[in-house]
Amino acid sequence: MEAVDGSVGEAVRQVAGDRAALPGEVGLASATSPCSAGLVSASGTNGKAVVCERCGSRVLSPGTARYRRRELFLPSMRQKVSLGTEDNAVTGDMLQEHWFVDDMYIFENVGFTKNVNNIKYLVCADCEIGPIGWHSLDEKKSFYIALDRVQHE
């Protein structure tokens, strides 16, 4: 886990608990945790439905995904360059809070992009906004939906 100072570091320790960190997992970006927002249930799963922020289509039903902190790069949702091309810079965000599922059939509604450097990005299957999540072809049973790219109801 990377070094974090002050109250943010304390928030990271409180939310992380005693479980072992996964490769690439880091601390929270802010002191506000999804637990305090009522998003994570007592069992560590999503307490609310995860829906597309544009069209409201349901991506995950309540109780189907686990909360994970892992630093992952997601390209900007409003980008006009083609992903994977070397002549255009890809802008985006390093996001740390995600819903994790280990089976693609758990999703209610999600689409996958073409393979981009061994990664498939997840998008809303109805309105195609995204990427809202990430899947590495090296990790067959790891699918992540960024909390910052979806809404909860």
Side-chain angles (χ1 to χ4, degrees):
M1 187 176 273
E2 80 181 24
V4 185
D5 11 285
S7 62
V8 175
E10 184 57 30
V12 168
R13 285 185 287 283
Q14 288 175 358
V15 174
D18 294 329
R19 70 165 182 77
L22 293 174
E25 283 190 331
V26 295
L28 297 174
S30 70
T32 304
S33 74
C35 298
S36 65
L39 299 180
V40 181
S41 69
S43 63
T45 61
N46 56 314
K48 297 181 178 183
V50 177
V51 298
C52 174
E53 68 179 12
R54 178 193 283 168
C55 72
S57 182
R58 184 177 285 206
V59 176
L60 288 166
S61 294
T64 57
R66 294 184 305 273
Y67 174 72
R68 291 271 173 92
R69 286 185 325 278
R70 181 173 180 185
E71 190 171 74
L72 299 172
F73 176 81
L74 287 180
S76 174
M77 293 175 76
R78 291 166 176 54
Q79 190 159 232
K80 298 208 180 205
V81 299
S82 297
L83 295 176
T85 60
E86 294 179 21
D87 53 325
N88 292 315
V90 176
T91 61
D93 305 301
M94 289 302 287
L95 301 173
Q96 298 179 351
E97 294 183 277
H98 306 276
W99 294 118
F100 170 82
V101 297
D102 59 8
D103 183 353
M104 66 187 266
Y105 295 107
I106 291 174
F107 291 109
E108 295 288 323
N109 179 33
V110 76
F112 293 84
T113 65
K114 292 181 180 178
N115 181 358
V116 179
N117 299 325
N118 220 31
I119 293 173
K120 289 191 175 206
Y121 294 102
L122 283 61
V123 299
C124 173
D126 283 345
C127 71
E128 297 182 354
I129 193 170
I132 60 171
W134 182 92
H135 169 66
S136 171
L137 297 177
D138 295 331
E139 302 174 28
K140 299 287 186 205
K141 293 189 173 252
S142 295
F143 303 88
Y144 294 88
I145 297 288
L147 271 69
D148 289 345
R149 300 278 179 102
V150 292
Q151 292 183 343
H152 301 82
E153 59 180 37

Short mmCIF file of all heavy atoms in Angstrom, two decimals, residues 1-3 12-13 15-28 67-71 96 100 139 142 144:
data_model
loop_
_atom_site.label_atom_id
_atom_site.label_comp_id
_atom_site.label_asym_id
_atom_site.label_seq_id
_atom_site.Cartn_x
_atom_site.Cartn_y
_atom_site.Cartn_z
N MET A 1 0.84 -1.17 0.00
CA MET A 1 0.00 0.00 0.00
C MET A 1 0.89 1.23 0.00
O MET A 1 1.85 1.31 0.72
CB MET A 1 -0.89 -0.06 1.25
CG MET A 1 -1.93 1.01 1.29
SD MET A 1 -3.04 0.85 2.69
CE MET A 1 -4.23 -0.24 2.01
N GLU A 2 0.55 2.23 -0.83
CA GLU A 2 1.41 3.41 -0.91
C GLU A 2 1.21 4.31 0.29
O GLU A 2 0.18 4.27 0.94
CB GLU A 2 1.16 4.15 -2.22
CG GLU A 2 -0.05 5.03 -2.22
CD GLU A 2 -0.25 5.72 -3.56
OE1 GLU A 2 0.23 5.23 -4.58
OE2 GLU A 2 -0.91 6.76 -3.56
N ALA A 3 2.20 5.11 0.57
CA ALA A 3 2.15 5.99 1.72
C ALA A 3 1.11 7.09 1.52
O ALA A 3 1.01 7.68 0.47
CB ALA A 3 3.51 6.62 1.96
N VAL A 12 -7.90 5.12 5.21
CA VAL A 12 -7.48 3.95 4.45
C VAL A 12 -7.34 2.75 5.38
O VAL A 12 -7.82 1.67 5.09
CB VAL A 12 -6.16 4.22 3.71
CG1 VAL A 12 -5.57 2.94 3.15
CG2 VAL A 12 -6.37 5.23 2.61
N ARG A 13 -6.67 2.95 6.51
CA ARG A 13 -6.47 1.84 7.45
C ARG A 13 -7.79 1.33 8.01
O ARG A 13 -7.99 0.14 8.18
CB ARG A 13 -5.52 2.27 8.57
CG ARG A 13 -4.07 2.34 8.12
CD ARG A 13 -3.14 2.64 9.27
NE ARG A 13 -3.23 4.02 9.71
CZ ARG A 13 -2.68 5.06 9.07
NH1 ARG A 13 -2.01 4.85 7.96
NH2 ARG A 13 -2.79 6.28 9.54
N VAL A 15 -10.86 1.44 6.58
CA VAL A 15 -11.64 0.73 5.57
C VAL A 15 -10.97 -0.56 5.15
O VAL A 15 -11.61 -1.56 4.89
CB VAL A 15 -11.89 1.65 4.35
CG1 VAL A 15 -12.56 0.89 3.24
CG2 VAL A 15 -12.73 2.84 4.76
N ALA A 16 -9.64 -0.56 5.07
CA ALA A 16 -8.90 -1.73 4.58
C ALA A 16 -9.01 -2.92 5.52
O ALA A 16 -9.03 -4.06 5.08
CB ALA A 16 -7.43 -1.38 4.37
N GLY A 17 -9.07 -2.68 6.81
CA GLY A 17 -9.15 -3.79 7.76
C GLY A 17 -7.90 -4.63 7.72
O GLY A 17 -6.81 -4.16 7.45
N ASP A 18 -8.05 -5.93 7.98
CA ASP A 18 -6.90 -6.82 8.06
C ASP A 18 -6.71 -7.68 6.81
O ASP A 18 -5.84 -8.52 6.78
CB ASP A 18 -7.06 -7.76 9.26
CG ASP A 18 -6.99 -7.01 10.57
OD1 ASP A 18 -6.27 -5.98 10.60
OD2 ASP A 18 -7.64 -7.43 11.53
N ARG A 19 -7.51 -7.49 5.77
CA ARG A 19 -7.39 -8.35 4.61
C ARG A 19 -6.12 -8.03 3.83
O ARG A 19 -5.60 -6.93 3.87
CB ARG A 19 -8.60 -8.23 3.70
CG ARG A 19 -8.69 -6.92 2.97
CD ARG A 19 -9.70 -7.04 1.83
NE ARG A 19 -9.75 -5.80 1.10
CZ ARG A 19 -8.84 -5.40 0.22
NH1 ARG A 19 -7.81 -6.14 -0.04
NH2 ARG A 19 -8.97 -4.26 -0.41
N ALA A 20 -5.62 -9.01 3.11
CA ALA A 20 -4.40 -8.83 2.32
C ALA A 20 -4.70 -7.99 1.09
O ALA A 20 -5.76 -8.11 0.49
CB ALA A 20 -3.85 -10.19 1.90
N ALA A 21 -3.78 -7.15 0.71
CA ALA A 21 -3.94 -6.30 -0.46
C ALA A 21 -3.68 -7.09 -1.74
O ALA A 21 -2.84 -7.97 -1.77
CB ALA A 21 -2.98 -5.12 -0.39
N LEU A 22 -4.42 -6.77 -2.77
CA LEU A 22 -4.21 -7.36 -4.08
C LEU A 22 -3.12 -6.57 -4.80
O LEU A 22 -2.88 -5.41 -4.47
CB LEU A 22 -5.50 -7.29 -4.91
CG LEU A 22 -6.65 -8.14 -4.42
CD1 LEU A 22 -7.90 -7.84 -5.24
CD2 LEU A 22 -6.31 -9.61 -4.50
N PRO A 23 -2.46 -7.15 -5.80
CA PRO A 23 -1.46 -6.40 -6.56
C PRO A 23 -2.10 -5.15 -7.16
O PRO A 23 -3.18 -5.23 -7.74
CB PRO A 23 -1.03 -7.37 -7.65
CG PRO A 23 -1.36 -8.72 -7.12
CD PRO A 23 -2.58 -8.53 -6.24
N GLY A 24 -1.46 -4.00 -6.99
CA GLY A 24 -1.97 -2.75 -7.54
C GLY A 24 -2.93 -2.02 -6.64
O GLY A 24 -3.33 -0.92 -6.94
N GLU A 25 -3.35 -2.63 -5.54
CA GLU A 25 -4.28 -1.95 -4.65
C GLU A 25 -3.55 -0.87 -3.87
O GLU A 25 -2.42 -1.02 -3.46
CB GLU A 25 -4.92 -2.93 -3.66
CG GLU A 25 -6.00 -3.75 -4.28
CD GLU A 25 -6.78 -4.54 -3.26
OE1 GLU A 25 -6.22 -4.90 -2.21
OE2 GLU A 25 -7.94 -4.80 -3.52
N VAL A 26 -4.24 0.25 -3.71
CA VAL A 26 -3.67 1.38 -2.98
C VAL A 26 -4.73 1.99 -2.09
O VAL A 26 -5.86 1.55 -2.05
CB VAL A 26 -3.13 2.46 -3.96
CG1 VAL A 26 -1.97 1.93 -4.75
CG2 VAL A 26 -4.22 2.97 -4.86
N GLY A 27 -4.37 3.09 -1.42
CA GLY A 27 -5.29 3.78 -0.52
C GLY A 27 -6.36 4.55 -1.25
O GLY A 27 -6.34 4.72 -2.46
N LEU A 28 -7.32 5.05 -0.49
CA LEU A 28 -8.41 5.83 -1.03
C LEU A 28 -7.92 7.19 -1.49
O LEU A 28 -7.01 7.76 -0.94
CB LEU A 28 -9.50 6.03 0.02
CG LEU A 28 -10.19 4.76 0.51
CD1 LEU A 28 -11.13 5.10 1.64
CD2 LEU A 28 -10.96 4.11 -0.61
N TYR A 67 -16.69 -4.65 -2.89
CA TYR A 67 -15.92 -3.41 -2.93
C TYR A 67 -14.44 -3.72 -2.89
O TYR A 67 -13.98 -4.52 -2.08
CB TYR A 67 -16.30 -2.52 -1.74
CG TYR A 67 -15.44 -1.28 -1.63
CD1 TYR A 67 -15.59 -0.23 -2.52
CD2 TYR A 67 -14.48 -1.18 -0.63
CE1 TYR A 67 -14.80 0.89 -2.42
CE2 TYR A 67 -13.69 -0.06 -0.53
CZ TYR A 67 -13.85 0.98 -1.43
OH TYR A 67 -13.07 2.10 -1.33
N ARG A 68 -13.69 -3.11 -3.82
CA ARG A 68 -12.23 -3.29 -3.86
C ARG A 68 -11.58 -1.96 -4.15
O ARG A 68 -12.12 -1.14 -4.91
CB ARG A 68 -11.82 -4.26 -4.98
CG ARG A 68 -12.21 -5.69 -4.77
CD ARG A 68 -11.14 -6.44 -4.00
NE ARG A 68 -11.55 -7.77 -3.64
CZ ARG A 68 -11.34 -8.85 -4.37
NH1 ARG A 68 -10.72 -8.78 -5.51
NH2 ARG A 68 -11.75 -10.03 -3.93
N ARG A 69 -10.41 -1.77 -3.58
CA ARG A 69 -9.57 -0.61 -3.90
C ARG A 69 -8.39 -1.12 -4.70
O ARG A 69 -7.61 -1.94 -4.21
CB ARG A 69 -9.10 0.10 -2.63
CG ARG A 69 -10.20 0.90 -1.97
CD ARG A 69 -9.69 1.70 -0.79
NE ARG A 69 -8.64 1.07 -0.02
CZ ARG A 69 -8.83 0.15 0.93
NH1 ARG A 69 -10.04 -0.24 1.22
NH2 ARG A 69 -7.81 -0.36 1.58
N ARG A 70 -8.28 -0.64 -5.91
CA ARG A 70 -7.16 -1.01 -6.78
C ARG A 70 -6.96 0.13 -7.76
O ARG A 70 -7.92 0.61 -8.37
CB ARG A 70 -7.47 -2.30 -7.52
CG ARG A 70 -6.33 -2.75 -8.41
CD ARG A 70 -6.59 -4.10 -9.01
NE ARG A 70 -5.45 -4.46 -9.86
CZ ARG A 70 -5.42 -5.53 -10.60
NH1 ARG A 70 -6.44 -6.38 -10.61
NH2 ARG A 70 -4.37 -5.78 -11.34
N GLU A 71 -5.74 0.58 -7.93
CA GLU A 71 -5.47 1.69 -8.83
C GLU A 71 -5.48 1.20 -10.27
O GLU A 71 -4.65 0.39 -10.67
CB GLU A 71 -4.12 2.32 -8.49
CG GLU A 71 -3.88 3.61 -9.21
CD GLU A 71 -2.66 4.32 -8.68
OE1 GLU A 71 -1.54 3.86 -9.00
OE2 GLU A 71 -2.83 5.31 -7.96
N GLN A 96 -9.47 4.48 -8.03
CA GLN A 96 -9.07 3.55 -6.98
C GLN A 96 -10.22 2.78 -6.34
O GLN A 96 -9.98 1.78 -5.69
CB GLN A 96 -8.31 4.30 -5.90
CG GLN A 96 -7.05 4.92 -6.42
CD GLN A 96 -6.30 5.70 -5.37
OE1 GLN A 96 -6.80 5.92 -4.27
NE2 GLN A 96 -5.09 6.11 -5.67
N PHE A 100 -16.13 -5.12 -7.73
CA PHE A 100 -15.42 -6.25 -8.32
C PHE A 100 -16.37 -7.43 -8.45
O PHE A 100 -17.10 -7.76 -7.51
CB PHE A 100 -14.25 -6.64 -7.41
CG PHE A 100 -13.59 -7.93 -7.79
CD1 PHE A 100 -12.65 -7.98 -8.80
CD2 PHE A 100 -13.94 -9.11 -7.15
CE1 PHE A 100 -12.05 -9.18 -9.16
CE2 PHE A 100 -13.35 -10.32 -7.49
CZ PHE A 100 -12.41 -10.35 -8.50
N GLU A 139 -6.19 -11.54 -16.38
CA GLU A 139 -6.93 -11.92 -15.17
C GLU A 139 -8.33 -12.34 -15.60
O GLU A 139 -9.25 -11.55 -15.60
CB GLU A 139 -7.00 -10.74 -14.20
CG GLU A 139 -5.65 -10.22 -13.78
CD GLU A 139 -5.76 -8.95 -12.93
OE1 GLU A 139 -6.79 -8.77 -12.24
OE2 GLU A 139 -4.83 -8.15 -12.96
N SER A 142 -11.60 -11.34 -13.30
CA SER A 142 -11.54 -10.05 -12.61
C SER A 142 -12.17 -8.97 -13.46
O SER A 142 -11.65 -8.62 -14.51
CB SER A 142 -10.10 -9.67 -12.28
OG SER A 142 -9.54 -10.57 -11.38
N TYR A 144 -13.90 -5.04 -13.05
CA TYR A 144 -13.99 -3.90 -12.15
C TYR A 144 -14.88 -2.82 -12.75
O TYR A 144 -14.73 -2.48 -13.92
CB TYR A 144 -12.61 -3.29 -11.90
CG TYR A 144 -11.67 -4.21 -11.16
CD1 TYR A 144 -10.86 -5.12 -11.82
CD2 TYR A 144 -11.58 -4.16 -9.77
CE1 TYR A 144 -10.00 -5.97 -11.14
CE2 TYR A 144 -10.71 -5.00 -9.08
CZ TYR A 144 -9.93 -5.89 -9.78
OH TYR A 144 -9.08 -6.72 -9.10
#
